[in-house]
């Protein structure tokens, strides 16, 4: 059974009781931005949702309260997804949920909506945008026709590049909300990150010695597409 749709205000939707351990990802301004923008825009009522890297469940709970029909929440380890589960069960016990250990998009099923706050600064990949680019290239495999991909990213990850790549890969994409805020302290500790960010046009700005990034929540909806006859796709694999 899905959670009852509430008429709670965006502020009320964000009030939740979260517990977490030392290994869990403590919500940051990125997560807060995504939560606030999701709360202001109900994009999930009556829809099936795949949430990648659900962490403390800070977005999972909100999506359930907004009346998502069914949510699959993933994390990279069993311990991490147990934190999601404990928090969701405490805050929205009636939610229709499944919890999975999965490496990013390597999971089954197709959904109306895919939501995530992807690793970026600390992605640990040579291409720091790896998780963002992976979404752009492969989230369509987890989306139903005309499904929507929703994620948050920093201006330091190059918003123009993201919107261009989404367009190239068959999405109508737009930023549905933005928040501007000062750098986290750990940004300055990663010289390579600072160097990469300085090469992004509009990556950040500095006012009176304070560095600011802009966080954007992007909603991208798959356009209709039929591969042309003769494309190298076996008939049985054509969706
Ligand atoms: C930026 S944090 C976001 C956490 C939470 N959704 C939030 O916004 O506070 C990214 C999350 O993705 C998880 N993660 C990292 N690599 C992953 C992978 N390959 N597959 C699934 N989740 C992953 C991390 O454990 C972490 O919880």
């Amino acid at each position: 059974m899905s959670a009852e749709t509430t008429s709670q205000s965006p502020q009320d939707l964000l009030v939740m009781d979260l517990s977490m351990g030392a290994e869990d990802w403590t919500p940051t301004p990125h997560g807060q931005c995504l939560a606030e923008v999701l709360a202001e825009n109900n994009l999930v009522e009556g829809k099936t949702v795949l949430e990648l890297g659900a962490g403390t469940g800070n977005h999972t709970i909100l999506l359930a309260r907004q009346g998502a029909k069914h949510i699959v929440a993933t994390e990279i380890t069993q311990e991490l997804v147990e934190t999601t589960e404990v928090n969701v069960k405490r805050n929205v016990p009636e939610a229709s949920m499944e919890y999975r250990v999965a490496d990013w998009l390597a999971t089954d099923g197709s959904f109306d909506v895919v939501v995530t706050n992807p690793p970026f600064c600390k992605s640990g990949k040579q291409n720091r945008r790896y998780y963002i680019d992976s979404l752009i290239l492969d989230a369509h495999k987890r989306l139903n026709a005309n499904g929507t991909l929703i994620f948050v990213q920093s201006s330091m990850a190059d918003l123009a590049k993201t919107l261009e790549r989404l367009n190239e890969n068959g999405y109508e994409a737009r930023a549905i909300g933005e928040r501007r805020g000062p750098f986290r302290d750990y940004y300055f500790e990663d010289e390579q990150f600072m160097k990469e960010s300085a090469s992004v046009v509009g990556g950040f700005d500095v006012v009176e010695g304070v560095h600011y990034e802009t966080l954007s929540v992007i909603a991208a909806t798959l356009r209709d597409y039929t591969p042309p006859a003769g494309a190298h796709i076996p008939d049985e694999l054509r969706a």
Side-chain angles (χ1 to χ4, degrees), residues 22-23 31 41 49 77 88 102 117-118 128 133 143 147 155 201 203 212 226 231:
E23 298 302 316
N41 299 272
V49 178
T77 69
V88 172
N117 171 9
R128 205 178 294 265
D133 287 334
L143 282 169
S155 48
V201 177
Y212 292 92
T226 305

Side-chain angles (χ1 to χ4, degrees), residues 23-28 30-32 34 51-60 74-77 80 101-105 116-120 123 125 130-131 152:
E23 298 302 316
D24 293 307
W25 181 267
T26 307
T28 67
H30 287 66
Q32 185 62 26
L34 178 59
E51 186 192 0
L52 303 175
T56 57
N58 48 335
H59 303 118
T60 330
T74 75
E75 257 300 344
I76 190 66
T77 69
L80 291 169
V101 176
D103 185 0
W104 211 230
L105 288 157
T116 186
N117 171 9
F120 170 59
S123 73
K125 303 287 188 183
Y130 175 92
Y131 292 96
V152 61

Side-chain angles (χ1 to χ4, degrees), residues 86-103:
V86 164
N87 283 327
V88 172
K89 283 188 169 157
R90 187 186 316 108
N91 287 272
V92 204
E94 71 279 21
S96 174
M97 291 292 313
E98 186 185 337
Y99 305 90
R100 295 183 188 167
V101 176
D103 185 0

Side-chain angles (χ1 to χ4, degrees), residues 25 28-31 33 117-118 120-122 128 132 152-159 178-188 193-194 197 200 202-207 210-216:
W25 181 267
T28 67
H30 287 66
C33 170
N117 171 9
F120 170 59
C121 173
K122 291 179 177 289
R128 205 178 294 265
I132 296 171
V152 61
Q153 79 158 65
S154 169
S155 48
M156 298 164 87
D158 198 336
L159 180 62
E178 287 186 348
R179 300 288 186 274
R180 184 167 172 272
F183 278 17
R184 317 293 317 281
D185 288 343
Y186 62 78
Y187 292 178
F188 297 102
F193 179 53
M194 292 298 290
S197 301
V200 174
F204 61 86
D205 60 308
V206 185
V207 179
V210 180
H211 290 63
Y212 292 92
E213 64 182 324
T214 300
L215 306 175
S216 299

Side-chain angles (χ1 to χ4, degrees), residues 11-222:
Q11 291 77 17
D12 291 343
L13 286 168
L14 296 170
V15 177
M16 48 188 80
D17 178 10
L18 299 179
S19 58
M20 64 196 86
E23 298 302 316
D24 293 307
W25 181 267
T26 307
T28 67
H30 287 66
Q32 185 62 26
C33 170
L34 178 59
E36 288 173 11
V37 174
L38 287 173
E40 290 161 5
N41 299 272
N42 189 334
L43 301 171
V44 298
E45 187 173 354
K47 297 193 172 166
T48 56
V49 178
L50 172 64
E51 186 192 0
L52 303 175
T56 57
N58 48 335
H59 303 118
T60 330
I61 292 163
L62 172 62
L63 299 166
R65 286 175 174 168
Q66 288 183 311
K69 186 171 156 191
H70 183 69
I71 303 173
V72 173
T74 75
E75 257 300 344
I76 190 66
T77 69
Q78 183 61 36
E79 290 73 21
L80 291 169
V81 86
E82 278 170 13
T83 298
T84 314
E85 183 169 356
V86 164
N87 283 327
V88 172
K89 283 188 169 157
R90 187 186 316 108
N91 287 272
V92 204
E94 71 279 21
S96 174
M97 291 292 313
E98 186 185 337
Y99 305 90
R100 295 183 188 167
V101 176
D103 185 0
W104 211 230
L105 288 157
T107 192
D108 292 336
S110 61
F111 303 82
D112 300 320
V113 178
V114 172
V115 183
T116 186
N117 171 9
F120 170 59
C121 173
K122 291 179 177 289
S123 73
K125 303 287 188 183
Q126 291 193 62
N127 169 13
R128 205 178 294 265
R129 285 178 47 98
Y130 175 92
Y131 292 96
I132 296 171
D133 287 334
S134 165
L135 290 171
I136 294 170
L137 284 171
D138 282 332
H140 71 96
K141 295 175 183 171
R142 303 277 71 83
L143 282 169
N144 293 329
N146 303 125
T148 302
L149 167 64
I150 304 167
F151 61 99
V152 61
Q153 79 158 65
S154 169
S155 48
M156 298 164 87
D158 198 336
L159 180 62
K161 183 181 277 186
T162 294
L163 293 175
E164 188 181 337
R165 287 184 177 175
L166 282 164
N167 183 48
E168 284 170 1
N169 283 279
Y171 289 91
E172 288 299 325
R174 65 196 173 98
I176 57 170
E178 287 186 348
R179 300 288 186 274
R180 184 167 172 272
F183 278 17
R184 317 293 317 281
D185 288 343
Y186 62 78
Y187 292 178
F188 297 102
E189 292 161 12
D190 184 340
E191 276 180 35
Q192 181 59 25
F193 179 53
M194 292 298 290
K195 201 166 141 194
E196 287 167 23
S197 301
S199 72
V200 174
V201 177
F204 61 86
D205 60 308
V206 185
V207 179
E208 295 177 354
V210 180
H211 290 63
Y212 292 92
E213 64 182 324
T214 300
L215 306 175
S216 299
V217 174
I218 296 147
T221 299
L222 272 175

